[in-house]
Every structure is written in structure tokens, then in C-alpha cells.
């Protein structure tokens, strides 16, 4: 596998279900991201992880729970979702340069998980 | 807060012709990065081209080039010799430099390539 992979590619779940989205990056990066992509709206950044530590939570409801066990893997745990949470969820990774904490590198995206909440 | 505006929801171009996609942004920063991403119907978002704001020279990548006008806060993408595989959603994006990883995306432009 190369680049950024995501599983599953499609997920249909009921509002009472619990499921998880998985992301894996094979690029040696140290930062990972979750985005939500809805029709007719710009991509929305949800979470940022640097070196496995969450550094940004962009006011995401608690029914979305991220987990980053190591720099290569990122999960998004889902529970009691709402129909309006149906969207394409994209994972991305980048290399954050340590000195001064500046990030000058590009974010590389996975293919996404198409989530439908019934 | 930074904003990115793509005013063309849809564009079409004849195969082998040239098309320009528009993007404007708003920021009070002087140092930042701009990107064009392509998302084909298969959904994988791919980086097309990237521009550092401190560089006056416009970035180019094969058939793709940008017209970066810093004072006007404009960052258009030109696709030359359009090919059927260029059909996709194109997103313009902005990122501050200096330790801030948040990327702000535009709403996208859907490009259709007509054979």
C-alpha cells in the first residue's frame, strides 16, 4: 500500500450504531487530519493530530471521537450519529517540521469513506 | 479568518483547449501557501500545484500553471491542452505558514472536458 489508505470505503449505519473509520498513512508523516466533505460546502477540518497528540478539535460534536495510536494510524469512532452527519470523511497526512513548529509541507489525502446515516 | 472563494461552480473545456479556473482569497498574513487540489470522480484528492506566497515566480507543473497575484489575492489555475482525465472537481486551498496547519478550502469548481 502506498500513500494514504482509508477503510471502509462505504459505510451505512443506523443512528444507534457504533462504527469506526480507519486511516493509515505510508508516507512517514507525523501529522494526520480528519476532514468532512459535504455537498456544496467547503471541506471542514475536524481534528488534527501531531505526533499522536490532538492539537485541534474544530468544535466537532462528541459523537465523533478520534483516536491516534501512532503516527501512521488514525481512527474516527462514530456513535449515535445523525442523518446530517452523512458525508464523505477524508483523512490526510503531512510532515510537520519540528523547528519552530512550522508546517511547510502539503497534506496528502486518502480516498475517503462515504458515510450514510439512516 | 481566512476565506477562499471559487466563483465558478462549473466550467467546461473542449479537449486540447485551455481553461482557467479562478480563485480569490482573503488574508491579513504576508507568508502563506496556496494549493490547487483535484478530486476526480473516484474521490481521491490529489495535489495539482502549490505556490509559496514569498515566491514571485508562478508555479508550473507540466500542463498546469498558476497566475498568482499577491496584491489582488488572486490565484488562478490554467490547464493547457486539456485531457479527458482532467475532468474533476478542483479545489483551491490556503494555508498559513509558521506553525499553523489548518488548510482553508474553497467550495470547488467542477470541470467538464468535452471530447
Amino acid at each position: 500500500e502506498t500513500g494514504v489508505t482509508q477503510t471502509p470505503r462505504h459505510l451505512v449505519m443506523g443512528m444507534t450504531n457504533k462504527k469506526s473509520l480507519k486511516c493509515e498513512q505510508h508516507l512517514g508523516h507525523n501529522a494526520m487530519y480528519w476532514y468532512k466533505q459535504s455537498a456544496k460546502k467547503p471541506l471542514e477540518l475536524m481534528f488534527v493530530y501531531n505526533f499522536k497528540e490532538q492539537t485541534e478539535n474544530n468544535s466537532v460534536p462528541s459523537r465523533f471521537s478520534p483516536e491516534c495510536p501512532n503516527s501512521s494510524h488514525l481512527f474516527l469512532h462514530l456513535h449515535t450519529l445523525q442523518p446530517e452527519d452523512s458525508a464523505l470523511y477524508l483523512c490526510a497526512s503531512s510532515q510537520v517540521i519540528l523547528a519552530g513548529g512550522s508546517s511547510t509541507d502539503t497534506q496528502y489525502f486518502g480516498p475517503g469513506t462515504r458515510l450514510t446515516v439512516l | 479568518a481566512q476565506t477562499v472563494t471559487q466563483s465558478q461552480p462549473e466550467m467546461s473545456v473542449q479537449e486540447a483547449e485551455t481553461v482557467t479556473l479562478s480563485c480569490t482569497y482573503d488574508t491579513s498574513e504576508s507568508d502563506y501557501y496556496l494549493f490547487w487540489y483535484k478530486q476526480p470522480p473516484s474521490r481521491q484528492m490529489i495535489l495539482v500545484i502549490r505556490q509559496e506566497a514569498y515566491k514571485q515566480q508562478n508555479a508550473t507543473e507540466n500542463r498546469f500553471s498558476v497566475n498568482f497575484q499577491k496584491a489582488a489575492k488572486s490565484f488562478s489555475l490554467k490547464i493547457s491542452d486539456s485531457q479527458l482525465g482532467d475532468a474533476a472537481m478542483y479545489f483551491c486551498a490556503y494555508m498559513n505558514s509558521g506553525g499553523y496547519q489548518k488548510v482553508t478550502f474553497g467550495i470547488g469548481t467542477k470541470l467538464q472536458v468535452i471530447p
Side-chain angles (χ1 to χ4, degrees), chain A residues 39-58:
Chain A
K40 310 290 186 187
K41 294 173 71 175
L43 266 72
E44 301 171 53
L45 179 66
M46 300 174 72
F47 301 105
V48 179
Y49 275 83
N50 285 313
F51 301 95
K52 304 185 299 178
E53 300 297 323
Q54 187 181 126
T55 55
E56 178 140 355
N57 175 337
N58 203 25

Side-chain angles (χ1 to χ4, degrees), chain A residues 9-10 31 33 35 37 40 42-43 45 50 88 90 96 101-107 109-112 114, chain B residues 10 33 35 37 39 42-47 50 52 91 95-103 105-107:
Chain A
R9 294 292 301 273
H10 300 269
Y33 312 80
Y35 286 89
Q37 186 177 27
K40 310 290 186 187
L43 266 72
L45 179 66
N50 285 313
L88 183 67
L90 294 171
V96 176
S102 61
S103 172
T104 61
D105 211 355
T106 305
Q107 293 182 17
F109 286 83
R114 172 66 66 186
Chain B
E10 294 190 30
Y33 301 90
F35 308 88
Y37 281 92
Q39 189 178 36
S42 65
R43 301 179 317 201
Q44 184 114 29
M45 192 91 71
I46 304 164
L47 177 70
R50 154 193 159 133
E52 286 103 341
F91 295 94
M95 184 177 79
N96 280 335
S97 66
Y100 192 57
Q101 296 157 249
K102 182 176 180 179
V103 180
F105 286 84
I107 201 167

Side-chain angles (χ1 to χ4, degrees), chain A residues 2-103:
Chain A
T2 59
V4 181
T5 58
Q6 289 186 244
T7 55
R9 294 292 301 273
H10 300 269
L11 178 62
V12 179
M13 59 187 289
M15 289 191 285
T16 58
N17 291 158
K18 290 184 180 181
K19 296 287 185 183
S20 296
L21 309 185
K22 179 182 175 182
C23 175
E24 184 173 0
Q25 60 95 1
H26 309 266
L27 300 169
H29 290 163
N30 53 21
M32 297 186 76
Y33 312 80
W34 279 118
Y35 286 89
K36 177 183 179 183
Q37 186 177 27
S38 305
K40 310 290 186 187
K41 294 173 71 175
L43 266 72
E44 301 171 53
L45 179 66
M46 300 174 72
F47 301 105
V48 179
Y49 275 83
N50 285 313
F51 301 95
K52 304 185 299 178
E53 300 297 323
Q54 187 181 126
T55 55
E56 178 140 355
N57 175 337
N58 203 25
S59 303
V60 180
S62 60
R63 58 186 182 269
F64 294 91
S65 174
E67 178 190 0
C68 190
N70 55 60
S71 294
S72 298
H73 293 86
L74 184 65
F75 295 89
L76 188 62
H77 303 299
L78 316 171
H79 62 98
T80 58
L81 294 191
Q82 304 297 312
E84 60 265 28
D85 296 323
S86 298
L88 183 67
Y89 289 85
L90 294 171
C91 174
S93 70
S94 73
Q95 183 66 17
V96 176
I97 296 170
L98 274 178
S102 61
S103 172

